[in-house]
Amino acid sequence: MNRFLNGWFRKKQQDGMTTRTAASESSRDGNDLSPTDIPRHVAIIMDGNGRWAKARGLPRIAGHHNGMKTVKRITQAADRLGVRYLTLYAFSTENWKRPKAEVEFLMKLPQEFLSLELDELMRNNVRVRMMGVRELLPDFTLAAVEEAVRKTENNTGLVLNFALNYGSRMEMVESARQLARRAASGEIDPNDISEADFSAGLLSCELPDPDLLIRTSGELRLSNFMLWQLAYSEFWFTDVYWPEFSEAHFHEAIREYQRRARRYGGL
Ligand code: FPP
């Protein structure tokens, strides 16, 4: 983190500034949630970092940096509730279009996060995974993620899946290409291609489909995120910006999820 940000964060800590709301304190433990209906896989579009920073007269990267702290908070919250898979949209294949300095900052976050948190993730039996295209990612980003993936590969608790350089249309085209090649070589009959075959060619092939999708910041779109996998997921949107998203907000999303009746097209 640069010196300006360091100073700002220290000052805010001294001021005792906290983004937690009174509501979040009262329902922090989520005791009212049904333990038998916790979504197995929660996917999150962590949006609103830039706007959070702008609203405070800060550079956008301050929003991303605070967003990283929310990653820790929500990973712990998901783990406590017994969520099995948590997928976080950390960088899309379209995010390369952002200013160079912002992209560089975003690329450093996995390394910073993992250098701070890997020991605790290990202690909590969390398994780190990455879902995305390795090409284009800087070596230091990839090295940090791969080290975490390797060190945690035998952990059996929450799977923390970072969508990094991830794009849904791109992965679907790639899956279609694989199937087309196998069909062209005579290995498979195009008429036999199933949904499961298509899913098997996606970057998410080792994960179940998300049960719940959360998007923060008031935007109501999918932004090229898990388009195939979210076919029957429940969606929950909030106006809260990601850096302010608390454990209580997470519980609110799960509470709403538990009120929904999932019918998968049936009655
Ligand atoms: C979208 O919000 C968010 C991103 C492009 C990056 C999200 C990344 C993090 C929260 C940190 C990830 C941390 C780790 C450990 C990988 P935006 O910046 O587009 O917000 P805006 O719509 O308000 O501009």
Side-chain angles (χ1 to χ4, degrees):
M1 190 177 13
N2 68 30
R3 241 185 308 149
F4 165 77
L5 283 176
N6 244 330
W8 180 80
F9 288 124
R10 209 171 316 111
K11 178 165 184 326
K12 289 300 170 202
Q13 274 164 0
Q14 281 158 6
D15 291 350
M17 175 183 157
T18 159
T19 53
R20 279 229 171 80
T21 60
S24 73
E25 296 300 346
S26 66
S27 58
R28 260 197 82 162
D29 50 13
N31 275 344
D32 59 318
L33 296 170
S34 161
T36 57
D37 191 22
I38 299 296
R40 191 151 73 116
H41 184 174
V42 178
I44 308 185
I45 304 178
M46 311 182 285
D47 200 7
N49 299 304
R51 277 165 287 165
W52 178 90
K54 190 172 174 208
R56 286 157 180 78
L58 295 166
R60 291 176 53 81
I61 56 172
H64 295 313
H65 200 264
N66 268 272
M68 186 185 77
K69 295 177 183 175
T70 308
V71 168
K72 172 178 174 145
R73 190 157 67 234
I74 299 308
T75 301
Q76 289 172 333
D79 194 25
R80 271 195 282 270
L81 282 185
V83 170
R84 302 291 299 136
Y85 302 86
L86 179 66
T87 295
L88 302 175
Y89 203 8
F91 194 88
S92 77
T93 44
E94 288 72 37
N95 286 151
W96 298 106
K97 294 181 211 152
R98 294 187 175 210
K100 193 163 169 274
E102 183 171 338
V103 169
E104 279 173 7
F105 189 84
L106 284 168
M107 285 299 139
K108 286 184 187 140
L109 287 182
Q111 190 185 33
E112 181 177 346
F113 176 79
L114 292 166
S115 70
L116 292 170
E117 303 302 335
L118 190 51
D119 287 349
E120 192 190 321
L121 294 171
M122 277 304 285
R123 274 197 299 281
N124 291 332
N125 197 23
V126 173
R127 182 173 176 191
V128 176
R129 200 187 174 283
M130 178 190 141
M131 180 174 80
V133 179
R134 288 171 151 65
E135 283 81 54
L136 295 183
L137 290 176
D139 289 345
F140 60 85
T141 309
L142 204 49
V145 175
E146 282 180 343
E147 186 199 354
V149 170
R150 200 176 51 250
K151 283 194 171 158
T152 64
E153 71 185 344
N154 294 321
N155 289 352
T156 54
L158 172 74
V159 174
L160 176 58
N161 181 38
F162 287 109
L164 202 57
N165 196 19
Y166 172 83
S168 185
R169 287 185 170 186
M170 168 276 297
E171 73 166 341
M172 286 198 280
V173 168
E174 193 44 50
S175 180
R177 280 191 190 127
Q178 283 174 28
L179 292 170
R181 276 189 221 109
R182 291 171 62 199
S185 72
E187 184 192 332
I188 52 170
D189 180 342
N191 294 311
D192 293 339
I193 293 173
S194 64
E195 291 186 6
D197 294 329
F198 188 76
S199 295
L202 300 176
L203 293 164
S204 59
C205 61
E206 292 161 9
L207 311 174
D209 288 343
D211 301 291
L212 172 66
L213 170 83
I214 295 173
R215 183 170 188 151
T216 57
S217 92
E219 304 294 351
L220 307 178
R221 56 177 173 264
L222 288 180
S223 302
N224 202 17
F225 186 55
M226 303 188 88
L227 304 178
W228 169 271
Q229 298 90 334
L230 292 168
Y232 282 105
S233 311
E234 296 298 324
F235 289 9
W236 188 82
F237 299 99
T238 175
D239 287 340
V240 173
Y241 293 147
W242 179 249
E244 288 192 316
F245 192 73
S246 66
E247 183 166 18
H249 294 123
F250 189 66
H251 291 166
E252 207 179 311
I254 310 263
R255 201 168 288 122
E256 171 61 24
Y257 169 85
Q258 294 191 339
R259 278 198 286 265
R260 307 251 181 107
R262 301 184 73 189
R263 289 190 288 274
Y264 301 93
L267 292 179

